[in-house]
Amino acid sequence: LKERLCATRVQKAQCRIFFEASAQPATFRSLKSAEKVCAVVARVAPSEAGGSSRSAEISEEAMAKWVAQLDGWASAIRTWRTFNGLGEEGDYSMTFKVTCRRAGTRFAHLASQSLAVAVASALTDLLGWQAQVRRPEFEVRFLLSDAEVIVDIPLLIQAAVRTGGGELASAGLAAPVAWALARSAELVPGDRVLDPMCGKAIVLVEAALTWHTCEYLGLDLDVEQLRGAACNTELAIGSGARIDLLRGDACRLPLPD
């Protein structure tokens, strides 16, 4: 991080690394785990979460109100917009979803799903955003543990959200996971990408929606999987990407060396 992003105030806490950096968004996108980079809205000790209420007694509604009133929202959203090339704030109501994860015993009385709903409602009321579970523009993560409480926003969004591409017609690998796998390939324009066991082509579709100047080839032995892949690839082909599908054995590729 210090070498590639000129990061400062680097701190490792459990499985997370916190830092500050003024590098351009393109530099962040070059990281193999770029999808994990988040803008921190708040990071506090458990005793500080919820304001003046004691964490062992605080209600879901009180905790949600505390989250919505955090001072870090404006800065985090400004960073998110910059990373996604959205410029200055528009007049439209942004769509979002809330993911809540709880670990340890300190907040055991709070149900993760109910808390996520309460936070979404509080953010809608206070900031005017629109809660939307499927294909939102951005995600708000609320992470509670016995060690610390974090509210953050993943900075990079999937291309399908940016283009309004629609929904995958045939379910398979989770789209966010497929998108992360595609990013790890560090594709450049003109690359040819082969998925020898493509299944329903979720990885190829997510890759093509972001890097539509590459060529993609999916191979699978299962006819049913290829039928699903054919439906899914229509989503990416509509954006100008090229995806071809072949039936074949990954151990005996029907391709020249």
Side-chain angles (χ1 to χ4, degrees), residues 1-255:
L1 289 174
K2 291 180 179 178
E3 178 181 347
R4 299 185 65 175
L5 302 178
C6 298
T8 60
R9 301 183 66 181
V10 179
Q11 178 186 4
K12 184 175 181 180
Q14 296 179 331
C15 61
R16 298 183 179 88
I17 299 177
F18 297 89
F19 63 93
E20 295 181 3
S22 58
Q24 294 299 309
T27 307
F28 282 85
R29 290 191 181 94
S30 69
L31 301 174
K32 287 191 174 182
S33 297
E35 74 281 352
K36 297 181 181 179
V37 178
C38 301
V40 176
V41 179
R43 179 192 178 202
V44 302
S47 59
E48 300 177 53
S52 59
S53 300
R54 295 177 59 185
S55 59
E57 302 172 354
I58 189 169
S59 66
E60 293 166 355
E61 290 73 19
M63 183 68 86
K65 183 178 180 180
W66 172 78
V67 170
Q69 294 177 341
L70 289 170
D71 294 332
W73 285 113
S75 176
I77 289 295
R78 186 163 53 249
T79 301
W80 175 82
R81 294 184 67 87
T82 298
F83 263 69
N84 291 285
L86 299 178
E88 298 297 325
E89 293 189 20
D91 296 329
Y92 70 97
S93 176
M94 296 189 298
T95 60
F96 74 102
K97 71 175 181 179
V98 178
T99 301
C100 180
R101 297 177 184 172
R102 178 178 51 79
T105 60
R106 183 157 190 153
F107 299 100
H109 64 291
L110 299 175
S112 296
Q113 186 62 37
S114 298
L115 183 57
V117 172
V119 170
S121 178
L123 289 172
T124 298
D125 292 342
L126 190 64
L127 302 179
W129 299 340
Q130 179 181 349
Q132 181 173 302
V133 176
R134 294 180 65 83
R135 295 290 188 180
E137 291 177 279
F138 68 97
E139 176 186 8
V140 173
R141 302 194 315 166
F142 190 18
L143 314 173
L144 304 97
S145 71
D146 292 344
E148 59 186 0
V149 173
I150 300 171
V151 180
D152 63 21
I153 300 173
L155 286 177
L156 297 177
I157 58 179
Q158 293 166 253
V161 178
R162 291 283 301 278
T163 61
E167 301 295 337
L168 293 168
S170 185
L173 182 68
V177 176
W179 182 67
L181 288 173
R183 290 198 64 87
S184 68
E186 298 185 332
L187 300 176
V188 296
D191 276 353
R192 293 179 176 177
V193 181
L194 168 67
D195 188 341
M197 294 179 287
C198 69
K200 295 180 179 177
I202 310 297
V203 173
L204 294 179
V205 169
E206 292 296 331
L209 285 168
T210 299
W211 298 278
H212 56 270
T213 57
C214 297
E215 296 181 7
Y216 301 91
L217 175 61
L219 185 78
D220 207 284
L221 196 57
D222 190 317
V223 175
E224 287 302 316
Q225 292 285 347
L226 288 174
R227 286 198 182 100
C231 293
N232 289 333
T233 54
E234 292 181 5
L235 174 63
I237 292 172
S239 67
R242 175 181 174 181
I243 303 180
D244 295 310
L245 300 172
L246 287 176
R247 183 170 184 263
D249 189 339
C251 296
R252 294 183 292 274
L253 294 175
L255 301 169

